[in-house]
Amino acid sequence: MNIYAIRVIYKYEMLRFRNTLMQSFASPVISTALYFVVFGSAIGSRMQEIDGVSYGTFIVPGLMMLTLLTQSIANASFAIFFPKFTGTIYEVMSAPISFFEILTGYVGAAATKSMIIGLVILATAGFFVPLNIAHPVWMMGFLILTCVSFSLFGFIIGLWATNFEKLQLIPMLVITPLVFLGGSFYTIDMLPPAWQTVTLFNPVVYLISGFRWSFFEVSDVSVGLSLFMILTFLTACLIVVWWMFKTGYRLKK
Amino acid sequence: MQAIVSISNLSKTYASGFQALKEVSLDIQQGEILALLGPNGAGKTTLISAICGLVNPSSGSVSVAGHDIVTDYRVTRSLIGLVPQELTLGSFDTVWETLNFSRGLFGKKPNPALIEHVLRELSLWDKKDSELMTLSGGMKRRVLIGKALVHEPRVLFLDEPTAGVDVELRKDMWELVRRLRESDVTIVLTTHYIEEAEEIADRVGVINNGELLLVEDKQALMHKLGKKQLLVELKESASHIPDVLAEWALELSADGKQLTYTYDSSNPHTGIASLLRTISDAGLLLKDIQTSQSSLEDIFVNLVMEKP
Ligand SMILES: Nc1ncnc2c1ncn2[C@@H]1O[C@H](COP(=O)(O)OP(=O)(O)O)[C@@H](O)[C@H]1O
Ligand SMILES: [Mg+2]
């Protein structure tokens, strides 16, 4: 196990985060605050409670997920795309380091960053709405699993992308719609029956549902199913990355 | 001497279908300086990249210190330092940070004293806190060398180390290469300048079109390849070469107006002065003389044509 390599990659990535600390926090915190002003206070005050939870509070887990997903993907995809783009990746590829160690360094750092941002958003939300987390341990579990799996997913996108457009494509075209349609702002049973069925094909539904359960003990699908789905996604990403490294996809010629 | 890197029947065909290496076999001896000489596109970078794990070989195998580069990559890669051809460096990291990163990446525990030593060796110590993007091209090249050395490799690959480098740095670089060899580091460098190979290498491998044409001791190679010719133009055409000129093995042109003397640049005693004296003693009148040196191009053409 090349511990020193994991350590320098992780540190390097976290240092990059520290150097851009303001940008890293400012954007998610400001947009979250805006969501609460609009949905929590302005519109939320006219909305009825959902499953006994005020609307402003109800949207907290969904908003956190929105940020966790976009941040994890952005952080991890950029972390690997950039050295590939500038050519500095040659050093990592020629080092005595296994694919698992490379992943631990890059994905670990990306997941840590989005986890920190997620918790900052949670704290921000606490200023606007009353919060009561029913299952803090489950909440942290879902938070960590989500950050890790989507950082892995971002890592795949970063490896796959051959230019900046492609790097932006998936998060914009796929992730944002999936999160918005995944029940961030409503429960599934508020939709017409046909759409409820369609929605069940959206993987983000399971994430948000499970995460929301850890807060309020209400969910669209069972917690076990949520956990199963996220672990399946994690495993699928791991297999894809493993294959990419094994064949040298976009890394070796 | 024993081989530290052993390459056998290595071939590489890129995804485009282009075959960049054709059955290359080569033993790199422990402690030597080997120059891989070849024109652009010969396959030098491909060969180095395959050894370092950046290119997947299509067939063949490579071992470093007896370990296979695929199955034992942890061992082989930690023995190797690579200075790439392109100046690929980060932007915002400092010189010190980037060396520290490289050392960690190669699985060595932090060692500030060693980093200081390497930076001083490369005259980069006063730049240790500078951001990489503020450095000149020559300094970036030195940082890349530092990154390759800081994990204490046994074999150092320098891919076109003097491309775009000024005379001063080039001198420093050869100085460093010699010092490294004294500490028993094996050095493999690529170049397309024959003079460079001549200046620094112990052995020279000539590579063209993905084929390793020969690997030889530098002295022997220079003797073989470093041909020069003296062309003597005569005022009046000669019908034959006078017997007194036999020892120079001259060639007479068809019109009898030009004598060609082929000699070796590695031989300091070329006997040109006495040749010219003997020519005029033999009653032939000189009109003009000129010398020509076989270019790298000629050498390659010859080598390629010699191959059956
Ligand atoms: N990724 C690639 N795909 C296809 N052909 C390549 C690739 N990289 C290099 N080549 C070709 O392989 C040949 C050898 O290249 P290279 O090893 O870089 O030569 P050198 O370093 O001797 O100049 C060249 O003709 C080059 O165009
Ligand atoms: Mg090259």
Side-chain angles (χ1 to χ4, degrees), chain A residues 5-61:
Chain A
I6 298 177
R7 204 183 284 174
V8 290
I9 293 176
Y10 186 86
K11 261 195 185 162
Y12 182 85
E13 288 299 312
M14 292 309 286
L15 201 71
R16 217 160 50 81
F17 180 58
R18 206 183 67 193
N19 293 342
T20 55
L21 210 58
M22 272 311 289
Q23 293 104 293
S24 304
F25 283 122
S27 143
V29 168
I30 289 173
S31 57
T32 312
L34 288 175
Y35 275 116
F36 282 118
V37 171
V38 176
F39 290 108
S41 314
I43 299 177
S45 58
R46 289 157 194 250
M47 305 267 287
Q48 57 192 140
E49 293 188 342
I50 299 176
D51 298 330
V53 181
S54 81
Y55 189 67
T57 306
F58 176 83
I59 62 172
V60 171

Side-chain angles (χ1 to χ4, degrees), chain B residues 148-219:
Chain B
L149 287 177
V150 80
H151 69 271
E152 305 159 280
R154 303 308 309 145
V155 188
L156 181 68
F157 288 93
L158 293 159
D159 199 357
E160 311 229 357
T162 55
V165 151
D166 60 36
V167 184
E168 197 60 29
L169 175 53
R170 190 144 131 185
K171 243 174 53 197
D172 289 354
M173 190 129 58
W174 294 158
E175 198 65 34
L176 176 75
V177 163
R178 292 197 181 95
R179 277 204 303 275
L180 283 170
R181 201 238 324 244
E182 266 155 39
S183 59
D184 207 31
V185 175
T186 305
I187 291 156
V188 180
L189 58 95
T190 72
T191 177
H192 49 259
Y193 301 115
I194 199 165
E195 301 80 19
E196 217 164 87
E198 187 172 5
E199 193 179 338
I200 189 76
D202 300 319
R203 281 203 308 159
V204 178
V206 178
I207 180 168
N208 190 34
N209 281 330
E211 284 178 277
L212 189 64
L213 301 177
L214 60 81
V215 191
E216 261 185 71
D217 199 66
K218 179 180 68 183
Q219 303 304 340

Side-chain angles (χ1 to χ4, degrees), chain A residues 2 4 12 91 101 253, chain B residues 56 74 93 102 109 147:
Chain A
N2 189 344
Y4 292 113
Y12 182 85
E91 200 182 15
E101 290 153 1
K253 287 162 192 152
Chain B
N56 279 331
R74 278 198 202 266
D93 334 334
S102 299
K109 78 161 183 271
K147 280 167 77 71

Side-chain angles (χ1 to χ4, degrees), chain A residues 90-91, chain B residues 82-84 86-90 93-100 102 118-119 122-125 127-128 130-150 156 169 173 176:
Chain A
Y90 86 87
E91 200 182 15
Chain B
L82 168 65
V83 182
E86 312 292 338
L87 292 177
T88 38
L89 273 180
D93 334 334
T94 67
V95 172
W96 205 91
E97 281 166 0
T98 199
L99 260 69
N100 189 50
S102 299
V118 170
L119 287 177
L122 292 160
S123 327
L124 280 171
W125 181 243
K127 294 281 176 192
K128 70 181 161 63
S130 302
E131 289 185 348
L132 296 173
M133 62 181 173
T134 64
L135 303 179
S136 70
M139 284 186 212
K140 283 183 180 161
R141 179 75 62 190
R142 277 184 277 180
V143 172
L144 284 171
I145 297 175
K147 280 167 77 71
L149 287 177
V150 80
L156 181 68
L169 175 53
M173 190 129 58
L176 176 75

